[in-house]
Amino acid sequence: MSIWDHLSFNNRFVELPQTFYSHVDPTPLLNPRWLAWNNTLATELGFPSVDGTQSLDADLLNSLSGLVDNENFDPIAMKYAGHQFGAYNPDLGDGRGLLLSQVVAKSGETFDLHLKGAGKTPYSRMGDGRAVIRSTVREYLCSEAMAGLNIPTTRALAMMISDTPVYREKQEKGALLLRVSESHIRFGHFEYLFYTNQLAEQKLLADKVIEWHFPECLNEEKPYAAMFNQIVDRTAEMIALWQANGFAHGVMNTDNMSIIGQTFDYGPFAFMDEYNSRLICNHSDYQGRYAFNQQPRIGMWNLSALAHALSPLIERADLEAALEMYESQMNSYFSQLMRRKLGLLSKQEGDSRLFESMFELMSQNRVDYPRFFRTLSDLDTQSEQEVIDLVIDRQAAKLWVDSYLKRCELEQETTEERCQKMRAINPKYVLRNYLAQLAIDKAEEGDSSVVDALMVVLADPYAEHPDYEYLAALPPEWGKEMEISCSS
């Protein structure tokens, strides 16, 4: 019996009118071979779980890399538009990725299978439609790191490398990423239909988004307004999670914003090392539009652009009411997360100043963001001096730690109970850019050992993992605040 006989497919997106997409077959790479296979995700989707990629069926590689046609697939490149760095661009779409199919997971949920790096499409513009090993490794690792941190995200099922030359700043090797998501519909889909005056098609897409992703909105008096409320809320929560975890996306164009509030299209991202609220991780972001501290504001900007596109479907008053809720929703989510990170579940007078002084301390002393919170989480087994020693200004650090510990006395929990809960939200292992680069260096030699090791700790970043302690090390000088390109 074939692998494919165990899977259930649902190619629902191709049932939409062809203005939404173009049929495109993948352009095969030379000598494709596995670099990684995500067993955990594979099992959830109904794919085989294996002990090493060498155990995978050759038919699986040939079908998923596009070497052979698969009757279960109907590959398409999706058409959309979007605002890039604030300027509207009508000429966007899947320029190097193809939606192969939708597969029905064991849970009954439908997931897109999206092949990134599959070759030219009608939307490639001047590009070659390829992905390279470095961008593929980064997205594979980061999407799984985000899942481990419980941040809504697309996932990664597999990586393949090849002998196909691809030219970027230098000659590199072509690679493929098999991405998985409940949806690849973006803010830019609605912008495309709005700005081309395809309003019947836009209504159809909104109906399908509600049917597929927000069915509870069908029971509301105004289903489209309810849908937009959901999008605003999910986006607010996602960005609050980014901020609390020190994650910078790097390129928050509206075509990179998921309609279901998932982190989407990983490119020049970074997890913060030393605390820097103005962190810019994209070397093309000359004005700092997408700096770390700008992400909440850009979330609002992008939602406003989506609201404008949805104005034929939703009354202005309802759009404005939803947008007015964004900031308070985002701040509420962020406040809850930061309280959990510090183990302060009740609200007390003076808390705001405690938080403000903490960020001032970290900023002025360039304190390592994840290490600071993880060390605070271990105060049941080590002294406060461990926290103080993370800060250059020891006197200021001691004053803050003393204030923090005095504040903790107002909580009902014991130190052990508080720290146990804090360790469940403050990760020991973070996908720092230098770790991703080490994985890339090995992957370009065909060696997946660093990828494999990182996948162990990123799947459960809160655990100790004593065999992988070295992956919790602070970055070397060369690995701090690396500026990354989209490498596409």
Side-chain angles (χ1 to χ4, degrees):
M1 182 177 285
S2 166
I3 290 170
W4 309 106
D5 295 332
H6 296 281
L7 299 169
S8 176
F9 291 91
N10 172 8
N11 293 337
R12 63 191 185 187
F13 198 86
V14 295
E15 297 173 2
L16 296 174
Q18 200 159 339
T19 188
F20 289 93
Y21 57 82
S22 297
H23 287 281
V24 183
D25 289 327
T27 304
L29 293 165
L30 299 173
N31 188 26
R33 50 203 182 274
W34 298 113
L35 181 66
W37 179 257
N38 188 339
N39 265 330
T40 302
L41 181 57
T43 301
E44 293 173 10
L45 296 175
F47 283 96
S49 175
V50 296
D51 182 17
T53 54
Q54 67 277 5
S55 304
L56 288 166
D57 190 290
D59 178 46
L60 193 64
L61 174 64
N62 292 338
S63 292
L64 294 178
S65 69
L67 269 179
V68 300
D69 293 334
N70 187 305
E71 63 181 9
N72 299 289
F73 298 165
D74 192 354
I76 58 170
M78 303 172 89
K79 170 60 185 167
Y80 43 84
H83 282 82
Q84 298 188 310
F85 290 89
Y88 181 69
N89 187 344
D91 299 321
L92 302 178
D94 287 337
R96 58 173 176 149
L98 296 176
L99 181 60
L100 297 179
S101 180
Q102 282 90 41
V103 63
V104 181
K106 291 180 178 178
S107 64
E109 296 175 278
T110 297
F111 289 88
D112 292 346
L113 295 181
H114 188 272
L115 186 64
K116 199 167 183 179
K120 287 187 176 182
T121 78
Y123 318 117
S124 296
R125 293 178 286 170
M126 301 299 291
D128 58 14
R130 293 303 188 192
V132 293
I133 292 173
R134 58 191 164 106
S135 61
T136 303
V137 168
R138 282 174 58 80
E139 179 158 359
Y140 183 88
L141 289 173
C142 194
S143 57
E144 292 308 297
M146 297 291 266
L149 292 168
N150 300 310
I151 300 174
T153 179
T154 57
R155 301 288 299 278
L157 177 60
M159 276 193 294
M160 293 157 269
I161 57 177
S162 76
D163 295 330
T164 298
V166 176
Y167 300 92
R168 296 294 181 262
E169 291 90 348
K170 60 181 181 178
Q171 181 176 312
E172 303 181 54
K173 296 290 181 65
L176 295 167
L177 175 81
L178 194 63
R179 185 165 66 189
V180 175
S181 176
E182 294 100 305
S183 178
H184 277 75
I185 299 173
R186 310 151 187 264
F187 288 15
H189 276 89
F190 286 100
E191 290 184 288
Y192 156 62
L193 296 168
F194 172 74
Y195 286 107
T196 54
N197 202 34
Q198 299 182 73
L199 301 186
E201 289 78 6
Q202 186 192 56
K203 181 178 183 300
L204 172 62
L205 182 62
D207 290 339
K208 290 300 182 182
V209 166
I210 291 173
E211 176 189 341
W212 296 339
H213 306 299
F214 305 117
E216 64 277 12
C217 294
L218 290 171
N219 300 322
E220 299 291 334
E221 181 182 352
K222 299 177 179 179
Y224 301 128
M227 175 192 75
F228 186 63
N229 287 339
Q230 289 272 10
I231 295 168
V232 170
D233 183 67
R234 290 193 185 197
T235 303
E237 182 178 18
M238 176 187 72
I239 292 178
L241 282 160
W242 290 2
Q243 301 303 112
N245 283 277
F247 174 78
H249 184 277
V251 59
M252 289 175 64
N253 297 330
T254 58
D255 56 295
N256 292 339
M257 297 292 290
S258 163
I259 209 75
I260 58 172
Q262 291 186 339
T263 315
F264 197 45
D265 278 351
Y266 293 94
F269 67 82
F271 283 95
M272 191 180 290
D273 296 318
E274 294 175 351
Y275 183 76
N276 175 13
S277 66
R278 298 181 179 88
L279 174 67
I280 300 170
C281 55
N282 182 352
H283 79 168
S284 300
D285 188 5
Y286 307 114
Q287 304 300 319
R289 177 181 176 85
Y290 298 138
F292 175 75
N293 62 356
Q294 296 300 307
Q295 291 182 146
R297 181 183 67 82
I298 292 297
M300 177 63 171
W301 197 99
N302 290 343
L303 286 165
S304 298
L306 176 61
H308 182 62
L310 290 173
S311 58
L313 295 175
I314 305 172
E315 295 176 9
R316 180 174 178 175
D318 292 327
L319 291 169
E320 291 177 347
L323 290 173
E324 285 174 3
M325 291 299 296
Y326 166 77
E327 185 174 0
S328 62
Q329 288 170 322
M330 200 276 300
N331 286 336
S332 176
Y333 284 125
F334 180 72
S335 177
Q336 292 172 34
L337 289 164
M338 295 308 298
R339 285 185 174 279
R340 289 179 60 203
K341 287 175 76 68
L342 287 174
L344 306 178
L345 303 184
S346 65
K347 292 185 178 181
Q348 303 289 338
E349 186 177 353
D351 281 357
S352 294
R353 181 58 196 150
L354 183 71
F355 277 86
E356 289 170 6
S357 59
M358 177 189 70
F359 284 115
E360 289 171 4
L361 185 73
M362 287 197 291
S363 179
Q364 292 168 3
N365 292 270
R366 304 301 295 269
V367 178
D368 189 84
Y369 187 78
R371 178 64 64 88
F372 179 81
F373 285 104
R374 184 67 182 195
T375 307
L376 277 180
S377 305
D378 290 334
L379 288 179
D380 57 339
T381 59
Q382 59 189 28
S383 76
E384 59 263 31
Q385 191 62 42
E386 297 292 328
V387 180
I388 295 169
D389 287 344
L390 297 174
V391 184
I392 295 171
D393 187 343
R394 301 290 201 274
Q395 184 177 1
K398 186 176 189 315
L399 287 173
W400 186 86
V401 170
D402 288 346
S403 297
Y404 168 69
L405 292 176
K406 186 176 180 180
R407 169 63 182 83
C408 288
E409 293 174 2
L410 301 178
E411 297 295 313
Q412 299 300 312
E413 297 177 313
T414 65
T415 299
E416 291 74 18
E417 290 170 335
R418 182 185 78 246
C419 289
Q420 185 176 6
K421 289 183 178 179
M422 289 171 66
R423 283 191 290 269
I425 191 174
N426 292 314
K428 179 170 183 175
Y429 297 91
V430 175
L431 182 61
R432 300 176 187 269
N433 266 335
Y434 91 93
L435 293 172
Q437 188 59 50
L438 294 177
I440 290 165
D441 292 342
K442 284 294 186 182
E444 289 179 337
E445 300 171 0
D447 182 346
S448 66
S449 59
V450 180
V451 169
D452 296 340
L454 284 169
M455 286 292 284
V456 172
V457 299
L458 296 175
D460 185 5
Y462 308 105
E464 287 296 324
H465 301 293
D467 292 342
Y468 297 95
E469 186 79 24
Y470 64 97
L471 295 175
L474 295 176
E477 283 301 316
W478 64 263
K480 294 180 179 180
E481 291 200 9
M482 298 169 65
E483 288 192 353
I484 307 296
S485 72
C486 293
S487 59
S488 59

